[in-house]
Amino acid sequence: MDTFQVAVRVRPQNQKELLNQSKSILQIQNGKQIVFDPATTESASGHVRQKNLGFSYDYVYNEKSTNTQIFNEAVNPLLDKLFAGFNLTVFAYGATSSGKTFTIQGSQSEPGILFQSLEQLFKRLQPDQTLKMSFVEIYNEQINDLLNTKNVNLQLRDDVNAVQIVNLTQIKIESIQQTFLLINKAFQFRQTQATGENANSSRSHSILQFDLQTATNTVKFLIIDLAGSERLKRTNCEGQRMLEGCSINKSLLALGNCLSALCRNNSYVPFRNSKLTRILKETLSGQSKVLMMCNVTSSDLQYEDTLNSLTYAQRATYIKCQSKINIQSIQLNQTELNQIIQQLKEENQQLIQDLEKAKITQHLEDTTELDTILKELIESTSLLYLNQCDRKYLEFENNTENVKKIGELQELEQLALEQSKQLKDKLKRFTTEKAQLKIQNAHSKIQENKLSQLSILRGKIIEQMQNINAHQKHVIIHQQEVFEQLSQLAAVALGESEVAPLIKQFKRAPKQTQAQQAKSADDLMLSQLNTQQINTTQNFTKNINICEPKRIQTLEKWNANASRVKIIPGLTRKISINKYEYENQLDELTSQLNNMSGSIRRK
Ligand SMILES: Nc1ncnc2c1ncn2[C@@H]1O[C@H](COP(=O)(O)OP(=O)(O)OP(=O)(O)O)[C@@H](O)[C@H]1O
């Protein structure tokens, strides 16, 4: 049995996915293999992508698989190992709303693997063994005690082999009922919020630990429900939710980096980069049996997320660490000894096979390592371009509310950039012709990703520009009409000699700009957004206000006549109004013009 096992679970499509008639992009081939975007798939948008990527794992579960089936096949055998003296960690990974919490906690009718494990723990517990429990969450890089809510922001302390959480509450548990109550209460304190994708999204990583103790030995069983990896755009998160999202993504990226280093057997593994990876150091460095439950949906609405999760999980399958039995001073009965002997035999067999493989296929291992690095490079550059394009679009929107998001995206870009740089450095040692060819292919793929992200960005910007232009065009046409009416009224109030130059200036302005600036149809349309024209309009309305006394004078003269007819040179319409209509119209038109100028400027 491998020390690090990976199971993938595909959840049934949810209401949103069904309503959108989304297509399935996953094809489960057997209990161990899955094809992403198989050759026959067509997405909801009709666009055929067909990456046709095959992945294999220790277990693959489909939409109909139940928590009980998963527990019996993947978790229960690991509990044997726990009782034989091995530490054990089960963690759920996946995008937001992919079903992690459902797998761990389950529902009333379908208890998750946590509750099923608990039943087994109590069933197998020997009189000389005790069980203790602790429960924390990591929220925004802060560790909070879920068994004592006053105990927040706990610190970590490095011991020889493990990292300890200082002042952590540990409660001795003696019955299932007592433990259920404690856990259910603790869940209420866990940070959850509604996001665009999940009405009850976990915003923290939760780590539940059971210590199985005898007089001489302690083994640990960790059940971890990670917060969902998320693309900030998809979850529509802002403010606090967005900060949480960034912190979640950062710690998951740190975990991914540790997994990569482990699968390449690097001597240095960057555990210290996040609280999550510091806590998991003991688990991941071979002192624990590990089951990673990777949750995904088959819907093509989550195309990128599913691909990312499957790739992340695939990387974990390369980890070949040897778990050590957790011996302090251990007294084992015959059955336990037999189990350990069997375990050691299996591992020994595995080692012999690995050694043989290593001797014969040294260069193949190099190729595998190169493949892994290139795969990660493609992933991290894709993430980089995605973030860059998201940021560029926010910058284009030029909205003050975006400033914070832009800063956060820049931070993520920086991380992805650093990771890509490190990976590129690693590529330098692969110098054979075959390796160079692979590297060249990967670079073409990276370039392709970049171009496709840029073309999406370009499409979004053009669409937005067209919306803006259509709006501006409409406002300008309307503005000209209003201006014309206003000119006539103003001429009555101010006299033609004062108004005529302003009218001339107003009418001439667009021609100058068009001639100077228009290079294409788009430019021509944009040139109508004429600052000079707006300025003239504003001056014009200002003049009318400044000339208020003159206007009153004119109006007084007007009293003598009940109505008046006037034609202004250069304007086509006649006006025939009385004093009150005149005043009302002038006020209304002036304010309309001001509003429109403001509207154009804002756009
Ligand atoms: N296998 C499944 N069968 C039925 N319903 C499921 C399954 N998996 C998930 N769901 C439902 O999908 C929704 C989202 O699942 P869940 O909350 O477990 O996602 P999550 O990955 O924990 O999300 P987040 O990271 O946002 O906390 C829930 O309503 C859950 O009941």
Side-chain angles (χ1 to χ4, degrees):
M1 181 190 278
D2 279 345
T3 293
F4 202 111
Q5 296 187 317
V6 181
V8 166
R9 179 184 203 178
V10 182
R11 73 150 162 74
Q13 294 203 3
N14 62 26
Q15 197 113 19
K16 180 175 162 193
E17 291 159 350
L18 291 173
L19 280 175
N20 277 288
Q21 297 184 336
S22 71
K23 299 276 186 305
S24 170
I25 40 159
L26 295 177
Q27 196 177 71
I28 297 176
Q29 301 224 307
N30 51 40
K32 286 178 184 289
Q33 278 163 348
I34 191 164
V35 179
F36 175 83
D37 197 7
T40 50
T41 311
E42 212 173 297
S43 78
S45 60
H47 172 62
V48 182
R49 305 185 237 204
Q50 301 186 345
K51 278 187 189 285
N52 213 26
L53 294 174
F55 294 93
S56 22
Y57 306 98
D58 296 286
Y59 307 93
V60 175
Y61 293 105
N62 64 24
E63 287 95 334
K64 291 191 185 128
S65 303
T66 61
N67 283 337
T68 305
Q69 182 191 353
I70 295 172
F71 173 77
N72 287 338
E73 287 175 13
V75 184
N76 210 15
L78 291 172
L79 291 180
D80 296 343
K81 303 289 169 195
L82 180 80
F83 279 90
F86 290 89
N87 291 327
L88 170 60
T89 300
V90 177
F91 73 92
Y93 174 87
T96 183
S97 189
S98 58
K100 299 177 292 297
T101 307
F102 186 85
T103 303
I104 298 289
Q105 290 179 35
S107 61
Q108 284 263 312
S109 57
E110 201 184 329
I113 54 184
L114 157 60
F115 295 107
Q116 305 206 33
S117 301
L118 209 51
E119 274 181 354
Q120 278 298 319
L121 283 184
F122 279 103
K123 220 181 245 174
R124 298 182 188 201
L125 197 65
Q126 300 297 311
D128 63 334
Q129 293 173 319
T130 51
L131 265 178
K132 286 189 178 161
M133 178 180 96
S134 59
F135 200 179
V136 294
E137 67 169 356
I138 307 177
Y139 174 65
N140 283 347
E141 276 306 273
Q142 177 172 313
I143 303 171
N144 301 328
D145 194 336
L146 290 174
L147 294 182
N148 175 3
T149 47
K150 290 189 189 125
N151 219 2
V152 291
N153 202 7
L154 301 181
Q155 298 305 304
L156 294 175
R157 188 183 58 221
D158 289 284
D159 279 359
V160 187
N161 281 327
V163 172
Q164 304 294 341
I165 304 175
V166 183
N167 280 338
L168 177 67
T169 308
Q170 254 205 335
I171 297 180
K172 185 174 175 197
I173 46 174
E174 288 171 301
S175 70
I176 295 188
Q177 288 72 13
Q178 175 211 5
T179 318
F180 274 13
L181 283 177
L182 283 170
I183 291 176
N184 283 331
K185 196 167 163 208
F187 276 142
Q188 289 166 16
F189 297 127
R190 189 177 174 199
Q191 297 284 346
T192 55
Q193 284 293 339
T195 66
E197 283 299 321
N198 189 351
N200 200 18
S201 176
S202 311
R203 311 303 293 162
S204 65
H205 308 301
S206 78
I207 305 176
L208 177 59
Q209 179 171 326
F210 297 105
D211 283 6
L212 179 64
Q213 295 181 329
T214 59
T216 51
N217 192 34
T218 301
V219 281
K220 296 175 191 168
F221 176 22
L222 270 68
I223 300 182
I224 301 173
D225 183 4
L226 294 174
S229 61
E230 56 190 47
R231 285 190 296 137
L232 303 177
K233 196 94 189 155
R234 175 163 82 77
T235 45
N236 293 329
C237 286
E238 291 182 334
Q240 184 63 12
R241 298 292 82 76
M242 173 120 174
L243 268 186
E244 290 162 0
C246 288
S247 161
I248 293 167
N249 286 349
K250 255 189 217 169
S251 53
L252 293 176
L253 187 63
L255 177 60
N257 289 339
C258 291
L259 297 182
S260 302
L262 285 166
C263 73
R264 285 199 300 275
N265 244 339
N266 284 2
S267 52
Y268 171 70
V269 182
F271 287 117
R272 294 198 66 82
N273 284 355
S274 75
K275 298 245 165 87
L276 176 69
T277 45
R278 283 184 74 190
I279 293 177
L280 289 182
K281 179 178 173 189
E282 187 182 14
T283 291
L284 295 175
S285 46
Q287 297 178 50
S288 180
K289 298 275 176 197
V290 183
L291 172 67
M292 173 182 186
M293 281 293 323
C294 173
N295 296 80
V296 291
T297 167
S298 63
S299 159
D300 66 347
L301 295 181
Q302 261 61 273
Y303 191 93
E304 296 296 338
D305 283 336
T306 301
L307 177 58
N308 287 342
S309 296
L310 292 177
T311 315
Y312 198 103
Q314 182 75 77
R315 194 190 300 166
T317 62
Y318 299 135
I319 298 176
K320 287 262 173 283
C321 49
Q322 292 300 317
S323 60
K324 300 175 212 121
I325 195 158
N326 199 29
I327 299 175
Q328 287 165 5
S329 156
I330 201 164
Q331 289 175 347
L332 301 166
N333 62 31
Q334 195 53 46
T335 330
E336 288 167 333
L337 275 174
N338 286 343
Q339 279 176 338
I340 294 169
I341 291 167
Q342 183 56 31
Q343 166 82 28
L344 288 173
K345 273 183 183 166
E346 281 173 22
E347 283 178 4
N348 198 24
Q349 196 58 35
Q350 184 66 44
L351 275 175
I352 292 169
Q353 280 175 10
D354 286 352
L355 195 62
E356 281 310 305
K357 247 196 253 165
K359 275 187 208 154
I360 302 162
T361 59
Q362 184 60 45
H363 75 280
L364 274 185
E365 288 203 346
D366 266 5
T367 314
T368 315
E369 192 183 346
L370 174 61
D371 287 346
T372 314
I373 297 175
L374 290 175
K375 203 185 232 178
E376 279 169 27
L377 185 63
I378 291 172
E379 272 168 41
S380 70
T381 47
S382 295
L383 189 67
L384 175 68
Y385 300 141
L386 182 74
N387 285 336
Q388 270 178 346
C389 288
D390 278 356
R391 174 172 63 78
K392 291 229 177 289
Y393 185 69
L394 292 179
E395 283 170 356
F396 162 77
E397 281 188 329
N398 194 17
N399 184 340
T400 46
E401 284 164 23
N402 289 345
V403 173
K404 204 162 160 199
K405 285 188 206 165
I406 290 172
E408 283 155 359
L409 284 170
Q410 271 168 338
E411 252 182 62
L412 287 176
E413 270 173 44
Q414 202 50 41
L415 275 176
L417 204 62
E418 274 164 29
Q419 199 190 13
S420 317
K421 200 164 156 279
Q422 284 170 10
L423 290 166
K424 279 181 188 160
D425 284 346
K426 283 182 190 157
L427 287 178
K428 287 180 190 154
R429 77 178 181 81
F430 296 94
T431 49
T432 64
E433 206 176 312
K434 209 168 164 191
Q436 286 304 315
L437 200 65
K438 280 193 169 203
I439 294 171
Q440 221 173 347
N441 285 343
H443 279 303
S444 312
K445 173 83 190 132
I446 289 169
Q447 192 61 18
E448 206 180 287
N449 284 346
K450 185 177 181 177
L451 291 177
S452 104
Q453 286 298 344
L454 281 175
S455 116
I456 293 171
L457 174 67
R458 192 170 171 274
K460 275 163 54 179
I461 290 183
I462 288 176
E463 194 184 320
Q464 183 68 348
M465 289 276 288
Q466 280 166 350
N467 289 342
I468 292 173
N469 287 345
H471 171 79
Q472 285 167 353
K473 206 173 170 189
H474 171 78
V475 171
I476 285 190
I477 289 168
H478 189 46
Q479 187 191 32
Q480 278 167 348
E481 281 171 9
V482 174
F483 180 82
E484 201 156 307
Q485 291 175 38
L486 184 59
S487 310
Q488 298 197 32
L489 292 170
V492 174
L494 303 176
E496 277 168 41
S497 58
E498 283 182 53
V499 177
L502 290 168
I503 293 173
K504 226 162 139 194
Q505 199 182 352
F506 179 84
K507 293 201 145 196
R508 200 174 50 228
K511 280 187 202 133
Q512 282 173 357
T513 324
Q514 281 169 18
Q516 284 162 2
Q517 296 180 356
K519 290 181 196 103
S520 66
D522 277 355
D523 284 349
L524 193 69
M525 196 147 46
L526 268 181
S527 73
Q528 300 202 3
L529 209 195
N530 185 328
T531 351
Q532 205 180 337
Q533 194 178 47
I534 293 164
N535 288 341
T536 313
T537 312
Q538 284 190 338
N539 279 341
F540 186 51
T541 51
K542 211 161 69 194
N543 278 345
I544 291 173
N545 291 335
I546 290 166
C547 295
E548 185 67 13
K550 201 164 180 181
R551 185 168 75 134
I552 291 168
Q553 241 179 28
T554 317
L555 286 174
E556 276 166 3
K557 278 190 216 154
W558 204 318
N559 280 337
N561 303 317
S563 67
R564 197 161 274 220
V565 176
K566 187 106 189 154
I567 305 173
I568 310 289
L571 297 175
T572 48
R573 231 169 318 145
K574 285 181 180 179
I575 54 165
S576 171
I577 49 171
N578 64 33
K579 169 189 164 189
Y580 304 105
E581 281 172 9
Y582 167 81
E583 277 201 311
N584 288 342
Q585 279 194 33
L586 186 60
D587 285 347
E588 194 188 317
L589 291 171
T590 308
S591 89
Q592 269 192 45
L593 255 186
N594 281 333
N595 285 345
M596 280 187 293
S597 302
S599 156
I600 293 178
R601 278 181 190 288
R602 274 197 300 280
K603 276 277 154 192

